[in-house]
PDB file of all heavy atoms in Angstrom:
ATOM      1  N   LEU A  63      -8.219  14.341  -8.220  1.00 92.00           N
ATOM      2  CA  LEU A  63      -9.049  14.804  -7.100  1.00 92.00           C
ATOM      3  C   LEU A  63     -10.508  14.391  -7.305  1.00 92.00           C
ATOM      4  O   LEU A  63     -11.174  13.971  -6.366  1.00 92.00           O
ATOM      5  CB  LEU A  63      -8.952  16.324  -6.953  1.00 92.00           C
ATOM      6  CG  LEU A  63      -7.677  16.868  -6.344  1.00 92.00           C
ATOM      7  CD1 LEU A  63      -7.642  18.390  -6.466  1.00 92.00           C
ATOM      8  CD2 LEU A  63      -7.520  16.434  -4.898  1.00 92.00           C
ATOM      9  N   THR A  64     -10.970  14.499  -8.551  1.00 90.00           N
ATOM     10  CA  THR A  64     -12.344  14.094  -8.861  1.00 90.00           C
ATOM     11  C   THR A  64     -12.515  12.595  -8.658  1.00 90.00           C
ATOM     12  O   THR A  64     -13.523  12.151  -8.092  1.00 90.00           O
ATOM     13  CB  THR A  64     -12.699  14.506 -10.304  1.00 90.00           C
ATOM     14  OG1 THR A  64     -12.559  15.926 -10.422  1.00 90.00           O
ATOM     15  CG2 THR A  64     -14.118  14.117 -10.661  1.00 90.00           C
ATOM     16  N   ALA A  65     -11.537  11.812  -9.076  1.00 91.00           N
ATOM     17  CA  ALA A  65     -11.600  10.359  -8.884  1.00 91.00           C
ATOM     18  C   ALA A  65     -11.560  10.007  -7.399  1.00 91.00           C
ATOM     19  O   ALA A  65     -12.290   9.118  -6.941  1.00 91.00           O
ATOM     20  CB  ALA A  65     -10.450   9.672  -9.627  1.00 91.00           C
ATOM     21  N   LEU A  66     -10.722  10.701  -6.632  1.00 93.00           N
ATOM     22  CA  LEU A  66     -10.654  10.479  -5.186  1.00 93.00           C
ATOM     23  C   LEU A  66     -11.994  10.810  -4.540  1.00 93.00           C
ATOM     24  O   LEU A  66     -12.507  10.045  -3.717  1.00 93.00           O
ATOM     25  CB  LEU A  66      -9.541  11.326  -4.567  1.00 93.00           C
ATOM     26  CG  LEU A  66      -9.402  11.275  -3.050  1.00 93.00           C
ATOM     27  CD1 LEU A  66      -9.091   9.862  -2.574  1.00 93.00           C
ATOM     28  CD2 LEU A  66      -8.326  12.250  -2.579  1.00 93.00           C
ATOM     29  N   ASN A  67     -12.568  11.923  -4.924  1.00 94.00           N
ATOM     30  CA  ASN A  67     -13.875  12.341  -4.423  1.00 94.00           C
ATOM     31  C   ASN A  67     -14.930  11.264  -4.707  1.00 94.00           C
ATOM     32  O   ASN A  67     -15.678  10.861  -3.815  1.00 94.00           O
ATOM     33  CB  ASN A  67     -14.265  13.676  -5.071  1.00 94.00           C
ATOM     34  CG  ASN A  67     -15.577  14.214  -4.590  1.00 94.00           C
ATOM     35  OD1 ASN A  67     -15.827  14.316  -3.402  1.00 94.00           O
ATOM     36  ND2 ASN A  67     -16.428  14.576  -5.529  1.00 94.00           N
ATOM     37  N   THR A  68     -14.979  10.789  -5.929  1.00 93.00           N
ATOM     38  CA  THR A  68     -15.941   9.760  -6.320  1.00 93.00           C
ATOM     39  C   THR A  68     -15.720   8.478  -5.533  1.00 93.00           C
ATOM     40  O   THR A  68     -16.672   7.878  -5.024  1.00 93.00           O
ATOM     41  CB  THR A  68     -15.832   9.479  -7.836  1.00 93.00           C
ATOM     42  OG1 THR A  68     -16.097  10.704  -8.541  1.00 93.00           O
ATOM     43  CG2 THR A  68     -16.812   8.404  -8.278  1.00 93.00           C
ATOM     44  N   GLY A  69     -14.465   8.066  -5.415  1.00 91.00           N
ATOM     45  CA  GLY A  69     -14.143   6.837  -4.682  1.00 91.00           C
ATOM     46  C   GLY A  69     -14.531   6.920  -3.216  1.00 91.00           C
ATOM     47  O   GLY A  69     -15.110   5.984  -2.660  1.00 91.00           O
ATOM     48  N   LEU A  70     -14.214   8.038  -2.579  1.00 92.00           N
ATOM     49  CA  LEU A  70     -14.563   8.203  -1.165  1.00 92.00           C
ATOM     50  C   LEU A  70     -16.079   8.197  -0.974  1.00 92.00           C
ATOM     51  O   LEU A  70     -16.587   7.589  -0.033  1.00 92.00           O
ATOM     52  CB  LEU A  70     -13.961   9.499  -0.605  1.00 92.00           C
ATOM     53  CG  LEU A  70     -12.443   9.516  -0.433  1.00 92.00           C
ATOM     54  CD1 LEU A  70     -11.957  10.915  -0.067  1.00 92.00           C
ATOM     55  CD2 LEU A  70     -11.997   8.498   0.610  1.00 92.00           C
ATOM     56  N   LYS A  71     -16.801   8.844  -1.876  1.00 93.00           N
ATOM     57  CA  LYS A  71     -18.261   8.857  -1.787  1.00 93.00           C
ATOM     58  C   LYS A  71     -18.839   7.461  -2.013  1.00 93.00           C
ATOM     59  O   LYS A  71     -19.801   7.071  -1.346  1.00 93.00           O
ATOM     60  CB  LYS A  71     -18.851   9.857  -2.772  1.00 93.00           C
ATOM     61  CG  LYS A  71     -18.667  11.292  -2.316  1.00 93.00           C
ATOM     62  CD  LYS A  71     -19.309  12.271  -3.265  1.00 93.00           C
ATOM     63  CE  LYS A  71     -19.205  13.685  -2.710  1.00 93.00           C
ATOM     64  NZ  LYS A  71     -19.861  14.668  -3.580  1.00 93.00           N
ATOM     65  N   MET A  72     -18.245   6.710  -2.928  1.00 92.00           N
ATOM     66  CA  MET A  72     -18.708   5.341  -3.171  1.00 92.00           C
ATOM     67  C   MET A  72     -18.493   4.459  -1.943  1.00 92.00           C
ATOM     68  O   MET A  72     -19.208   3.481  -1.746  1.00 92.00           O
ATOM     69  CB  MET A  72     -17.990   4.742  -4.388  1.00 92.00           C
ATOM     70  CG  MET A  72     -18.446   5.333  -5.694  1.00 92.00           C
ATOM     71  SD  MET A  72     -17.513   4.720  -7.108  1.00 92.00           S
ATOM     72  CE  MET A  72     -17.968   3.008  -7.098  1.00 92.00           C
ATOM     73  N   MET A  73     -17.526   4.815  -1.116  1.00 89.00           N
ATOM     74  CA  MET A  73     -17.234   4.065   0.101  1.00 89.00           C
ATOM     75  C   MET A  73     -17.981   4.628   1.302  1.00 89.00           C
ATOM     76  O   MET A  73     -17.643   4.331   2.446  1.00 89.00           O
ATOM     77  CB  MET A  73     -15.732   4.031   0.340  1.00 89.00           C
ATOM     78  CG  MET A  73     -15.002   3.261  -0.718  1.00 89.00           C
ATOM     79  SD  MET A  73     -13.244   3.248  -0.388  1.00 89.00           S
ATOM     80  CE  MET A  73     -12.657   2.296  -1.751  1.00 89.00           C
ATOM     81  N   GLY A  74     -18.977   5.470   1.029  1.00 90.00           N
ATOM     82  CA  GLY A  74     -19.857   5.949   2.084  1.00 90.00           C
ATOM     83  C   GLY A  74     -19.408   7.197   2.816  1.00 90.00           C
ATOM     84  O   GLY A  74     -19.995   7.574   3.821  1.00 90.00           O
ATOM     85  N   ARG A  75     -18.373   7.868   2.321  1.00 93.00           N
ATOM     86  CA  ARG A  75     -17.890   9.084   2.978  1.00 93.00           C
ATOM     87  C   ARG A  75     -18.618  10.306   2.426  1.00 93.00           C
ATOM     88  O   ARG A  75     -18.952  10.351   1.250  1.00 93.00           O
ATOM     89  CB  ARG A  75     -16.401   9.305   2.756  1.00 93.00           C
ATOM     90  CG  ARG A  75     -15.389   8.253   3.190  1.00 93.00           C
ATOM     91  CD  ARG A  75     -15.764   7.424   4.362  1.00 93.00           C
ATOM     92  NE  ARG A  75     -14.709   6.609   4.874  1.00 93.00           N
ATOM     93  CZ  ARG A  75     -14.457   5.358   4.497  1.00 93.00           C
ATOM     94  NH1 ARG A  75     -15.150   4.788   3.551  1.00 93.00           N
ATOM     95  NH2 ARG A  75     -13.502   4.668   5.087  1.00 93.00           N
ATOM     96  N   LYS A  76     -18.839  11.296   3.276  1.00 95.00           N
ATOM     97  CA  LYS A  76     -19.295  12.607   2.824  1.00 95.00           C
ATOM     98  C   LYS A  76     -18.049  13.457   2.712  1.00 95.00           C
ATOM     99  O   LYS A  76     -17.259  13.536   3.654  1.00 95.00           O
ATOM    100  CB  LYS A  76     -20.284  13.212   3.810  1.00 95.00           C
ATOM    101  CG  LYS A  76     -21.581  12.463   3.843  1.00 95.00           C
ATOM    102  CD  LYS A  76     -22.578  13.139   4.735  1.00 95.00           C
ATOM    103  CE  LYS A  76     -23.837  12.286   4.700  1.00 95.00           C
ATOM    104  NZ  LYS A  76     -24.977  12.945   5.229  1.00 95.00           N
TER     105      LYS A  76
END
Side-chain angles (χ1 to χ4, degrees):
L63 285 171
T64 301
L66 176 61
N67 182 50
T68 301
L70 290 172
K71 285 183 175 182
M72 288 176 65
M73 294 180 180
R75 302 330 190 269
K76 292 185 181 194

